[in-house]
């Protein structure tokens, strides 16, 4: 399967990067690696996340502070959003 990030999810990811990098650029890079690794696993294990709060979606927790919301569409996994678990 292919994993694709929607523009909205990419924006979420950039916002997380900027927020963390203001205090600690190294931590921002590490967090972004968590996101990349989690998304890469979805290529082989697209149903590994739990059923999402929104119908038709699934959610994966790449880090205790964030959840990755995604949808499987044929041979593509679409990452829809990256959301802080504090919300």
């Amino acid at each position: 399967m292919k994993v694709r990030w929607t523009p909205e999810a990419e924006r979420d990811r950039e916002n997380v990067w900027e927020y963390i990098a203001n205090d600690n650029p190294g931590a921002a890079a590490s967090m972004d690696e968590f996101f990349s690794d989690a998304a890469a696993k979805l290529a082989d294990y697209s149903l590994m996340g739990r059923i999402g709060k929104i119908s038709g979606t699934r959610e994966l927790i790449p880090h205790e502070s964030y959840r990755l919301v995604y949808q499987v569409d044929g041979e593509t996994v679409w990452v829809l959003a990256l959301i802080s678990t504090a919300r």
Side-chain angles (χ1 to χ4, degrees), residues 33-84:
E33 193 170 324
F34 278 120
F35 303 150
S36 291
D37 291 347
K41 288 177 186 173
L42 292 174
D44 293 323
Y45 306 103
S46 61
L47 300 179
M48 71 186 289
R50 66 180 183 214
I51 293 176
K53 295 179 181 182
I54 297 171
S55 179
T57 66
R58 299 188 74 83
E59 298 179 359
L60 184 64
I61 309 295
H63 182 274
E64 64 187 20
S65 298
Y66 294 95
R67 64 188 156 111
L68 218 156
V69 179
Y70 68 98
Q71 184 174 43
V72 179
D73 183 21
E75 290 297 312
T76 305
V77 175
W78 288 98
V79 178
L80 304 173
L82 183 61
I83 301 171
S84 170

Side-chain angles (χ1 to χ4, degrees), residues 5-53:
W5 290 70
T6 63
E8 296 82 7
E10 285 284 355
R11 204 168 317 117
D12 292 342
R13 191 173 175 176
E14 290 169 12
N15 289 340
V16 170
W17 175 278
E18 290 172 3
Y19 178 77
I20 296 171
N22 282 333
D23 292 326
N24 187 335
S30 293
M31 185 65 70
D32 196 63
E33 193 170 324
F34 278 120
F35 303 150
S36 291
D37 291 347
K41 288 177 186 173
L42 292 174
D44 293 323
Y45 306 103
S46 61
L47 300 179
M48 71 186 289
R50 66 180 183 214
I51 293 176
K53 295 179 181 182

